[in-house]
Amino acid sequence: EVQLVETGGGLIQPGGSLRLSCAASGFTVSSNYMSWVRQAPGKGLEWVSVIYSGGSTYYADSVKGRFTISRDNSKNTLYLQMNSLRAEDTAVYYCARVRYCGGDCLDYWGQGTLVTVSS
Amino acid sequence: DIQMTQSPSTLSASVGDRVTITCRASQSISSWLAWYQQKPGKAPKLLIYKASSLESGVPSRFSGSGSGTEFTLTISSLQPDDFATYYCQQYNSYPVEFGQGTKVEIK
């Protein structure tokens, strides 16, 4: 059974850093594309980043230069390193597995972890 | 970037109603569109991909259609479990974009 479990969220001051983790089971993270998607409180879904199986990475303009997606193959875990955090980064962050649907659709999602950026 | 616009933002319907949600892309995305269902406090769930392909395990009352810039999600007979927010997502190119969501409420 495919499972994704995010951890690492919490309250952080503006300008601070946080690293989110997404532990996967039931499949191999390194053999798949993986994404992060976030949802601000009461708002819609916003794609954040993707890492391809070959290691290529892409980011939304809103986080480019501040966030870094990575993975640890030995731990079968996906990460999102978030630096220079801003109030507008406050959101529930979901990791999701990308499936090839002619392109990248998201077939399994974690339960999400809440990041609150506030002083 | 490709922008996605859903309508309506909110829809009030009764159990048994036929419900249609529309999603428009700012430029052609061929059939590279997915639909997701999200319930409060839960992660989104993939319903439809490639505009009209039903994800495994999703009830057949859900269907999708369209290509190019205009797409629809139809629920043929609304069930109590279907009251949720629905999002379309284009995956023709990065950055992938979601529509703003359509909340289906009980009438």
Side-chain angles (χ1 to χ4, degrees), chain B residues 94-107:
Chain B
Y94 277 102
V96 301
E97 291 284 349
F98 294 89
Q100 80 278 16
T102 295
K103 186 175 182 180
V104 177
E105 297 181 326
I106 300 173
K107 192 171 184 179

Side-chain angles (χ1 to χ4, degrees), chain A residues 9-27:
Chain A
L11 176 63
I12 187 77
Q13 291 190 337
S17 297
L18 209 56
R19 189 179 80 159
L20 305 183
S21 300
C22 171
S25 58
F27 73 101

Side-chain angles (χ1 to χ4, degrees), chain B residues 8-53:
Chain B
S9 297
T10 305
L11 187 160
S12 296
S14 301
V15 172
D17 284 354
R18 182 181 181 88
V19 166
T20 298
I21 299 168
T22 297
C23 180
R24 290 186 175 86
S26 60
Q27 63 189 75
S28 178
I29 57 170
S30 186
S31 295
W32 309 130
L33 184 102
W35 289 97
Y36 300 85
Q37 176 194 66
Q38 187 180 34
K39 296 181 179 178
K42 300 294 185 183
K45 172 187 174 183
L46 178 65
L47 298 177
I48 301 278
Y49 61 93
K50 209 164 70 176
S52 60
S53 297

